[in-house]
Amino acid sequence: MSRAQIEPGGCLILAGTPIGDFRDASPALRETLAEADIIAAEDTRVLRTLLQRLGVTTSARSVSYFEGNEASRTTGLMEEMLAGARVVVVTDAGMPSVSDPGYRLVAAAIEGGIRVTSVPGPSAVLTALTISGLPVNRFCFEGFLPRKAGERRRRLGALTAETRTMVFFEAPHRLADFLTDAAEIFGVDRRCAVCREITKPNEEVVRGGLGDLVSWATDHARGEITVVVQGAPARVVDIDGALARVRELVADGVRFSAAVAQVATATGMRRKDLYEQALAKREEHEDG
């Protein structure tokens, strides 16, 4: 009995697809695609190629389901499931809703009392993490950072005190800029692994300090990219150093409260305590 047949009635199935090597497709994925009523695909052309390579024949109706039409398409898919349809969501590679379409429909299905299940498959996040050579006992997934440089730097700045190994997705043409910003914010020697084209014939994993990888990325970034960055070492709070850093940021034009928040995040100090001490220090300087 396949996953799609576990219960009668409509249901939503998130199906993980191969991230590069089509031989990674599971028998459960093949059965689920074959027995679906509707397949909501990020790109229906990619879906057709997948079905052909897997040798799967299905009577399912395929519809596009991507970032641009998620909102409008969700209502129709909900109606189909409420009427008893088995809807399978697939993306171009990996698990739906992980930096890909799917979450909006999952939330709607749960709200509507529709059963949600999955056919697990390959994940670029976990695959890159395991081959990176960096600690895997604790990690966090940050996905794609903002495209605009200022917003990207602010997101990276908020991670300066993150001690867990961090996993990012990045587009090849933005990789060098990402690594440049990360090296400036985390330090040029922070260990990193750039994993490209995972499970494909030209798979490559480049490891080194963030600063060392910038020049490599400028000329060699191609294909699907996953970046794994070592977490920050645990910090010993130095109140004098923290107060000095607040003053430096304020001198550079950062608002006082924002400067306190940034330093508190970086040091692990309680923001309220740091704010009170920094305020007292500032008043002391003003009085002096």
Side-chain angles (χ1 to χ4, degrees), residues 176 179-184 186-192 208-218:
L179 293 172
T180 298
D181 290 341
E184 182 177 338
F186 296 150
V188 295
D189 295 326
R190 181 77 72 88
R191 293 169 61 202
C192 172
L210 283 166
D212 297 329
L213 295 181
V214 172
S215 58
W216 172 87
T218 302

Side-chain angles (χ1 to χ4, degrees), residues 17-25 53 92-94 122 124 197-201 203 224:
T17 56
I19 57 177
D21 190 337
F22 285 92
R23 293 174 300 177
D24 292 335
R53 294 190 177 183
D92 293 348
E197 299 290 81
I198 299 174
T199 76
K200 297 179 182 178
E203 173 182 294
E224 299 289 333

Side-chain angles (χ1 to χ4, degrees), residues 24-184:
D24 292 335
S26 67
L29 174 62
R30 290 180 167 86
E31 290 179 7
T32 299
L33 293 172
E35 298 168 2
D37 295 312
I38 299 172
I39 302 176
E42 183 178 12
D43 188 324
T44 55
R45 295 165 299 183
V46 174
L47 171 63
R48 283 196 296 271
T49 300
L50 175 66
L51 293 174
Q52 290 170 0
R53 294 190 177 183
L54 298 183
V56 172
T57 301
T58 180
S59 61
R61 175 166 58 91
S62 64
V63 298
S64 63
Y65 191 71
F66 60 98
E67 183 179 1
N69 72 358
E70 269 189 283
S72 60
R73 188 75 80 184
T74 294
T75 299
L77 291 173
M78 281 293 298
E79 292 174 352
E80 297 278 6
M81 288 186 289
L82 288 169
R86 292 167 297 180
V87 173
V88 177
V89 177
V90 296
T91 55
D92 293 348
M95 283 300 298
S97 83
V98 180
S99 286
D100 275 329
Y103 174 75
R104 187 190 298 269
L105 188 56
V106 169
I110 292 172
E111 180 68 22
I114 293 170
R115 181 171 180 269
V116 178
T117 187
S118 71
V119 176
S123 164
V125 177
L126 294 178
T127 306
L129 185 67
T130 55
I131 64 178
S132 69
L134 297 173
V136 298
N137 56 322
R138 297 180 68 240
F139 68 93
C140 62
F141 175 57
E142 292 293 323
F144 285 100
L145 294 189
R147 298 180 181 183
K148 294 183 178 179
E151 295 177 8
R152 180 175 61 243
R153 290 174 61 83
R154 281 191 288 275
R155 282 279 298 276
L156 288 170
L159 294 169
T160 53
E162 177 57 70
T163 57
R164 294 172 295 179
T165 298
M166 297 169 282
V167 184
F168 303 87
F169 286 160
E170 191 51 275
H173 62 281
R174 291 195 298 268
L175 180 61
D177 291 336
F178 169 89
L179 293 172
T180 298
D181 290 341
E184 182 177 338

Side-chain angles (χ1 to χ4, degrees), residues 9-20:
C11 64
L12 175 63
I13 305 170
L14 304 177
T17 56
I19 57 177

